[in-house]
């Protein structure tokens, strides 16, 4: 009769079994993250089809979301077929586990045009429900650039206030305040983000992996524009933005990597291509009244003409391999616990 394995062997078996999920979801750089792979990882075939030409279950994205029952606790796919859907879309807190799957960021568009004194009010797309995934969709606020410091100033493309939200191969377009990355743990992979001033802002804990950041000039103001305005309020807050690989480029005037929004603002650019669009100073404390001693604006092994650090502001940190390591790990956003796949 076979004897059961000794206790240490059981522990080893448990460890190996538990690790399988992580290894399976941490894909290699050669793997293409596409909608079939994401669909496989979330393990569902429940699909609601949205087709602007009436060949699906709904013609409106919001109508499809409205059809998801309150308290939904199993993954459901909302397939947004190609087309330009001219509507504002909101996923409320009581509708988690939605996978919004498009046909590609150049093919499936959610577009609206609105400026407001209130960032959230202006947002074309709002997600507040946890466990959200988007793939292959572009979110665009088409409002024209208004007058600086007025109610015409805010034109948000996406307001992300959900915990455990991931965007793969998506696009975010606006002229000002493009991505309100408000709160929660977020992952952006191979996505495109375009804007001019503070166009990635908020106090979320987010990783931007292999993303394209494109700056456009804003002629309304004498200051340089800034890519990020991260609002970490204190040392105990775990928020921050980490940009890993990808590239930053643009047209027009030079751009700062970030400006201080909160006293402990935290932004890291690591292994990113920085074009000549980046101002030599790199960072700014424009409009911030506090000191720079608690700011965590940092860089690690960036490359390109904008990566020259010889004229950087005094408070920027040039990180060592040991110092940057926690930020390069997917554990920064606890990704092993909730992400379907990551690179």
């Amino acid at each position: 009769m076979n004897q059961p394995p000794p206790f240490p062997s059981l522990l080893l078996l448990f460890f190996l079994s538990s690790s399988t999920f992580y290894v399976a979801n941490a894909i290699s750089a050669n793997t293409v993250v596409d909608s079939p792979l994401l669909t496989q990882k979330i393990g569902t075939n429940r699909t609601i089809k949205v087709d602007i030409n009436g060949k699906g279950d709904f013609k409106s994205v919001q109508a499809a979301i409205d059809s998801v029952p309150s308290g939904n606790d199993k993954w459901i796919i909302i397939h947004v077929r190609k087309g330009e859907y001219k509507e504002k879309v909101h996923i409320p807190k009581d509708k988690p586990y939605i996978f919004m799957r498009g046909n590609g960021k150049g093919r499936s568009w959610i577009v609206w045009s609105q400026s407001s004194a209130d960032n959230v009010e202006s947002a074309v797309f709002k997600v507040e429900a946890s466990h959200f995934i988007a793939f292959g969709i572009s979110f665009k606020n088409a409002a024209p650039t208004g007058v600086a410091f007025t109610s015409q100033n805010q034109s948000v493309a996406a307001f992300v206030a959900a915990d455990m939200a991931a965007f793969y191969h998506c696009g975010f377009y606006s002229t000002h305040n493009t991505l309100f990355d408000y709160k929660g743990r977020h992952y952006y992979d191979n996505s495109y983000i375009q804007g001019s001033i503070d166009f990635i802002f908020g106090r979320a804990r987010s990783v931007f992996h292999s993303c394209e950041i494109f700056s456009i000039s804003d002629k309304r103001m004498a200051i340089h524009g800034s890519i990020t305005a991260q609002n970490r309020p204190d040392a105990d807050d775990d928020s921050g933005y980490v940009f890993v690989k990808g590239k930053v480029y643009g047209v027009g005037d030079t751009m700062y990597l970030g400006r201080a929004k909160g006293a402990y603002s935290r932004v890291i650019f690591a292994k990113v291509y920085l074009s000549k669009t980046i101002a030599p100073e790199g960072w700014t404390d424009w409009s911030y009244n506090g000191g720079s001693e608690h700011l965590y604006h940092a860089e690690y092994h960036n490359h390109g003409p904008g990566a020259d650090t010889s004229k950087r502001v005094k408070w920027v940190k040039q990180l060592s391999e040991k110092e940057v390591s926690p930020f390069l790990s997917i554990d920064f956003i606890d990704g092993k616990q909730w992400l379907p796949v990551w690179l």
Side-chain angles (χ1 to χ4, degrees), residues 46 56 274 322:
R46 299 169 66 212
L274 304 178
K322 181 178 180 180

Side-chain angles (χ1 to χ4, degrees), residues 90 119-120 123-128 156-162 167 172 178-183 188 201:
H90 178 215
N119 280 303
V120 179
V124 174
F125 175 72
K126 296 188 289 189
V127 56
E128 297 182 274
V156 172
F159 171 65
V160 185
F167 295 81
F172 303 87
T178 305
L179 176 56
F180 193 174
D181 195 51
Y182 177 47
K183 65 178 181 178
Y188 300 86
F201 68 106

Side-chain angles (χ1 to χ4, degrees), residues 190-206:
N190 279 277
S191 292
Y192 176 90
I193 308 166
Q194 174 184 293
S196 58
I197 295 177
D198 298 353
F199 62 97
I200 304 173
F201 68 106
R203 56 179 178 86
R205 182 163 32 129
S206 301

Side-chain angles (χ1 to χ4, degrees), residues 49 58 60 62 82 157 180 189 214 221 237 246 311:
K49 298 181 177 68
F58 297 95
S60 158
Q62 188 62 55
K82 66 178 181 179
F180 193 174
D189 180 76
F214 189 84
M221 305 173 74
D237 188 274
K311 296 181 180 179

Side-chain angles (χ1 to χ4, degrees), residues 50-56 58-59 82-83 85:
V50 184
D51 190 297
I52 201 167
N53 298 310
K55 296 180 180 179
F58 297 95
K59 295 176 69 174
K82 66 178 181 179
Y85 297 83

Side-chain angles (χ1 to χ4, degrees), residues 62 65 75 78 88-100 110 120 123-134 139 156-167 172 179-188 204:
Q62 188 62 55
I65 291 166
W75 281 106
I78 295 179
K88 295 182 74 171
V89 174
H90 178 215
I91 302 179
K93 293 179 181 178
D94 63 346
K95 297 192 177 185
Y97 294 101
I98 287 177
F99 174 19
M100 187 180 293
I110 298 174
V120 179
V124 174
F125 175 72
K126 296 188 289 189
V127 56
E128 297 182 274
S130 63
H131 296 284
F132 171 80
I133 300 172
F139 308 93
V156 172
F159 171 65
V160 185
D163 189 27
M164 295 175 284
F167 295 81
F172 303 87
L179 176 56
F180 193 174
D181 195 51
Y182 177 47
K183 65 178 181 178
R185 293 164 290 178
H186 306 154
Y187 182 69
Y188 300 86

Side-chain angles (χ1 to χ4, degrees), residues 146-168:
V147 180
F149 307 116
T150 72
S151 62
Q152 300 176 49
N153 203 32
Q154 323 302 336
S155 52
V156 172
F159 171 65
V160 185
D163 189 27
M164 295 175 284
F167 295 81
Y168 298 86

